[in-house]
Amino acid sequence: MGTEIRRARKDEIDEIMELIAKCVQVMQAGGSDQWDEHYPNREIISLDIERGNLWVCEENNAVAGILVLDEHQSEQYEKIDWKETQGPHLIMHRLAVHPEVQGKGIARRLSTYAEEYARQNGYSSIRLDTYAKNTRALALYPKLGYDRRGEVTFPGRTANFPVFEKVLEKHGNSEA
């Protein structure tokens, strides 16, 4: 059985919510309040699926990871000194990997998929934020070529959210 990345289906909502619940348990056990019983909730995830913005990484017929790709930037992003100011920009949200399969490169595969998707759809950069207490993500994104551009704060969270950007090369005008 291989790995497939595809849009989530409505009939997968329970499995996706179970993955999120397991991730919340692991986060909270590690001292992180990034996610909780209020976020991301079933309503948010249902909307992501409805809009076609939620992607799943399926491995052995099970949802191993999720990722949301859209153009929604929180207003806090306006204060960031972005490298690429010409849009459109693809925003990565809610990247999560089931705790039982963490460390197997699923987050990396989802991120690579996001880049391919962004290039195919004419985006100039990918932007994202992660939680200051999420040490795995903070280590991963620079390895994948993302530059840390600053940080934002969100109400109700004890730590800041570092923001990252990856400027994508434009196709068709590469200088050899």
Side-chain angles (χ1 to χ4, degrees), residues 141-166:
Y141 293 119
K143 285 182 195 164
L144 298 177
Y146 286 79
D147 294 320
R148 187 171 173 160
R149 302 301 301 170
E151 55 186 43
V152 295
T153 56
F154 291 109
R157 295 293 174 245
T158 56
N160 291 334
F161 288 75
V163 292
F164 291 86
E165 176 184 37
K166 185 168 191 173

Side-chain angles (χ1 to χ4, degrees), residues 92 95-97 104-112 140-141 144:
M92 280 177 36
L95 172 62
V97 175
K104 294 186 175 181
I106 292 167
R108 183 181 292 262
R109 267 181 270 166
L110 282 163
S111 298
T112 301
L140 174 68
Y141 293 119
L144 298 177

Side-chain angles (χ1 to χ4, degrees), residues 60-120:
N60 301 325
N61 297 318
V63 175
I66 61 169
L67 172 66
V68 172
L69 298 173
D70 64 24
E71 294 181 19
H72 176 72
Q73 299 183 74
S74 64
E75 61 192 44
Q76 287 89 336
Y77 277 32
E78 292 170 16
K79 298 180 185 105
I80 300 298
D81 178 24
W82 299 106
K83 193 172 184 178
E84 178 60 70
T85 55
Q86 300 301 307
H89 310 284
L90 185 65
I91 315 301
M92 280 177 36
H93 312 271
R94 299 187 269 292
L95 172 62
V97 175
H98 197 292
E100 290 172 15
V101 291
Q102 287 178 359
K104 294 186 175 181
I106 292 167
R108 183 181 292 262
R109 267 181 270 166
L110 282 163
S111 298
T112 301
Y113 180 84
E115 288 174 35
E116 291 165 9
Y117 177 87
R119 283 191 182 96
Q120 288 170 359

Side-chain angles (χ1 to χ4, degrees), residues 128-142:
L128 63 99
D129 60 69
T130 191
Y131 204 42
K133 295 180 181 181
N134 189 339
T135 52
R136 287 179 99 155
L138 291 172
L140 174 68
Y141 293 119

